Structure formats: structure tokens, C-alpha cells
Amino acid sequence: MQIITFAAIDVGSYVTEMKIYELSVRYGMKEIDCIQSSLELGKDAFTQEKIGVKLVDELCEVLADFKKIMEGYKVEAYRACATSAIREAKNKLIMLDYIEKHTGIHLEVLGNSEQRFLDYKSIASSEREFNQIIQDGTAIVDVGGGSVQISLFENGSLITTQNIRSGNLRVREKLSKVEQTESHFEQLVEELINNELESFEKLYLKDREIKNMIIIGDYLLELMQNSQEERTITMITREEFHKKYGEIMEQSQDEVMEKYDLPSESSSLVLSSLVIYKRFIEVCNAKMIWMPGFSLNDGIAYDYAEKKKIIKNGHSFEDDIIAEARNLAKRYMCNKNHIKMMESLSLGIFDKMKKNHGLGKRERLLLRIAAILHGCGKYISLTEVSDCSYSIIMATEIIGLSRLEREIIANVVRYNTKEFEYYDVITAHSEMHKEEYLLITKLTAILRVANALDRSHQQKFENAKFMLKDNQLIISVETQKDITLEKALFKEKADFFEEVFSIRPVIRQKKHF
């Protein structure tokens, strides 16, 4: 039986952590070591917008030590990820180059949605409990150093995910400018986050019933339990949480750190997190609180094992991305029947053209999301639909999609109706390269043809079939309706499709009487 030794490294806002795992088909994921080093990168990043030389050198020392430990364990693969502190630092690229040259470790900076998706995957690794809990209204609250992510589930599907820039370290740094005593620290934290919470409640909770809350964060299990023997307890009631919360807040920070054997330098961060969790529980009115005790590193390891087919999970993360896109389309009042037709037609063309475009499963998902969201800009303007749709997609995090993937989707949606612009223009103010540009052209060509086939939004075509023959994509449709409009407006879309693929799409109508 093959066992792979894997290392996951999380360079966080205030702790840098490495976990070593053994991964196998038979036993799944087994953590065999965890090494932590307190390093407050976020203190510089969130106040000075860059990380100082001294901290960068300290990080290099930590990572160099991690590398030696990996060599001792004979680690076969690793993934090292940085989160909000390095992500928000203006000197990010300089740092990353310096770190790799001095340690040999390639550090990947995760976008917020990628980071939260991996956190989410760590929870889903406990498949049975997770899938059972999210059947009822459930909120996942993930408190980090820079921000808080809250994701809502209903009937097993992801409804929405939102980011609030009030993480525990950012809150602490803001409060450091205010004179305070321990007696009203809690009140200051609440005042700082209440405005964002009230906005979230009005926009996304409304009449939604949240029965369960899953909370992710450092030292939470230690605080909620009374002794080392209780460390297996992960589910508590709202009343139990509030009782424990009251006990902790009656103590000084030093007393809390000593009683629960927590690092003294993290005292203010731990208590800030606790206040944030308490307010979310109150706003959501959650009755049961689940603390699975997983971390970003668990998600990194799980993601690696899943991609290598070492671990299989019955929960479909792709379905979560699609469900979130559908809810976004619903929020912006997109035409549901037109979207359904667009999905069917665009994916049908994609599948038939597989040998010609050379794209895979992930690109198919991006096309599907573009089909779902292509009309969202009409909510803002009926004359500037393409640009408004682009702006909405770029301003909305979709958990599981990177920022670059979101930019690809946004461009496909924009050029669905707008005159196509070529490489120099599209990539002028972007991190995209040739590969992403070519992907945009291919997906745009497909989406344009699909949209032209339902130009009237009346779903005139039934049983559309696609066939490749003699450099033509023959689209056979069954309908008794007049398709003069679709045929008249099809040429322009067909021209661009032929420019991209050297294949001409042709409509063939078959009538039934």
C-alpha cells in the first residue's frame, strides 16, 4: 500500500504553521506532526501596507527550518501558501522572490476565495457530519487575521459567501489607536464590527433560518473546553457557548492565557475572535455550534489528496460553485429560462468541439458560470449590460474560483455582446497571459453562438443537436416557431466562431407538423 508523505505550510497573518501528513487510499489523511511559529506579518501589512525587512528575514529562517524538517520526514510533495498579510502587502512580489531564493520554498499567495475554499474543504473532509449539518440552514464563519468569511448553506447547497474585512488582527491594530481597558475591550470590538454585521443581516439573512453554525479559528476548541480530556467535544449549544463566553470575559487576558495554556502574544487576537464569533451567533440566531478544529493546512492536504485521487468525497464542490452562481443570477433578476437554454446550448457546443478547443473540465465549468451570469448587468443598466456584468462579476467573490478565473468569466460575459478586443487591449491592465487570453477567445466564441440561438429569449429550439462535418458545426434544431430573427443575427457570431476555430456554425431547422 502506497503512503505519500505530504507537507502543508500556511504563512498566516500572525502564525506560520507546517503540518506533515501521511496520505493513503486505505487510511485517508493522517497528521503526524505540526510545527508553529508566531510571526505577526499582518501587523506590518495592515498598518504600513508592506512587510518590513526584519520580518521577511525571520520568515525565511522559519521556512528554512521547515525545509529541514521536511527533509527529515522525507516529504515527497509540499504546498506552501500565504494568506491576507502577504496578499495585501505592496512589496509582495519582492518578498516572494527573496523568500524562494533564500529558502528554496515556492510560496503561493492565495486569493481570498481560494483560501476560504480550502478552509471549506478542510471541513468537508469530515464528510458524514458536514453533509448532514448543511441540510438545515447553516453558516460557516471563518475568522482570520485580515477578514471574516461567512458562507450560508441551505438544503445542502451553498447560497452565498461574503467577506468582511474585520479579522482579529486587523481589529486589534485598529483598536491599538484607542485608549482602552480590558473592561471595555469587548464593547470596542463589537462597535467596530456591528455596522458590517447589520448590513450582512439585512442583505442576506432576512427570513432565513440558521440552525447551525460551523466556526473555524485558532485556539477555539481550547477556549470552549475545560480540560485536556474534553478535547474531543466539538458540538455545543448556543447557551453553552454564551455561558463559556461569559466565564472567559470575566477573566483578564493573562488569566485566560495561563488557564488554557495559550501563547501570551496571541491573547488579544484570541479574545477578538471570540467576540466576533459571539456577535455572528447572535445575528444568525444559530442554535448549535460545531467546532471541527480543522485549519487551512488540513484543506491544503485534502485538496492535494483529492486531486491525486487518494481521497474521494461524496460532496460535490463544483455543484457548490454552480449553486452560488445561480443564487447570484437570482439576486440580479436574470432570466431563468434563458439561462437554462444558454447552459444547454453552450455546453452542448463545448462538448462537441472538445477535440478542436483542447479544453478540459475546469474550463467547461467557467463557461457554465459565464452562461449563468451573462445577463446580470441588466439589473444596473439596460444600455451598458456588458460592462455592468463585468463589474458585478469582478466585484463578487465566488468561493472556489480564483480571481484570475473570475476575470476570465467576466471578460467572456463582457465580450458576449461587446465588440471583441484583442490581446494587447485585454491584457493591458491585467495579470493574464497568452493562455488566459486564448481561453477567453474560445469561451466567448462558444457563448456568442449559444446566445444567438436564443436571441429572442423565447427558447424556440427543442432538441438541439450538434455535428461536425466538413469544417462546419451543424446545429440541427426542431421547432415550429419562426426563427427569422435568430438566423438574421447569427452571421456576426458565426464569423467570430470561425475566426477562432476555423469551423463555421450553421443552423439547420427541422419542423414537425
Side-chain angles (χ1 to χ4, degrees), residues 104-118:
I105 290 179
H106 173 72
L107 191 57
E108 173 188 353
V109 180
L110 297 175
N112 182 66
S113 59
E114 296 170 288
Q115 173 191 343
R116 306 304 181 168
F117 193 55
L118 289 172

Side-chain angles (χ1 to χ4, degrees), residues 38-99:
S38 296
L39 200 59
E40 290 199 356
L41 302 175
K43 187 173 183 179
D44 277 10
F46 302 147
T47 56
Q48 303 172 31
E49 298 186 333
K50 63 180 183 178
I51 298 174
V53 173
K54 182 181 178 183
L55 273 176
V56 175
D57 283 334
E58 288 180 21
L59 176 59
C60 284
E61 291 177 13
V62 171
L63 293 177
D65 288 341
F66 283 1
K67 189 174 182 182
K68 290 176 183 176
I69 294 169
M70 285 194 285
E71 290 169 354
Y73 276 105
K74 297 184 172 14
V75 165
E76 298 166 64
Y78 80 92
R79 185 179 179 187
C81 298
T83 55
S84 58
I86 291 182
R87 182 168 66 236
E88 296 187 24
K90 289 181 177 178
N91 59 338
K92 171 178 65 180
L93 294 179
I94 297 171
M95 286 176 55
L96 295 176
D97 179 70
Y98 182 85
I99 289 167

Side-chain angles (χ1 to χ4, degrees), residues 46 197 224 387 402 414:
F46 302 147
L197 279 176
M224 286 293 110
D387 288 334
S402 67
R414 171 192 269 174

Side-chain angles (χ1 to χ4, degrees), residues 435-493:
E435 292 75 16
E436 289 81 32
Y437 162 75
L438 290 174
L439 176 57
I440 290 169
T441 63
K442 292 175 182 179
L443 298 186
T444 300
I446 294 172
L447 191 68
R448 281 183 169 192
V449 168
N451 198 29
L453 291 172
D454 193 32
R455 185 65 182 82
S456 65
H457 289 211
Q458 293 181 19
Q459 296 78 56
K460 294 178 180 178
F461 297 157
E462 299 173 10
N463 303 321
K465 295 180 181 178
F466 307 94
M467 181 176 69
L468 286 170
K469 184 178 180 181
D470 299 330
N471 292 327
Q472 288 186 330
L473 174 66
I474 300 170
I475 305 168
S476 299
V477 295
E478 296 179 6
T479 184
Q480 296 184 42
K481 297 179 181 178
D482 182 359
I483 62 169
T484 303
L485 177 66
E486 282 73 17
K487 284 185 173 180
L489 300 178
F490 192 70
K491 182 181 181 302
E492 180 190 350
K493 312 303 181 183

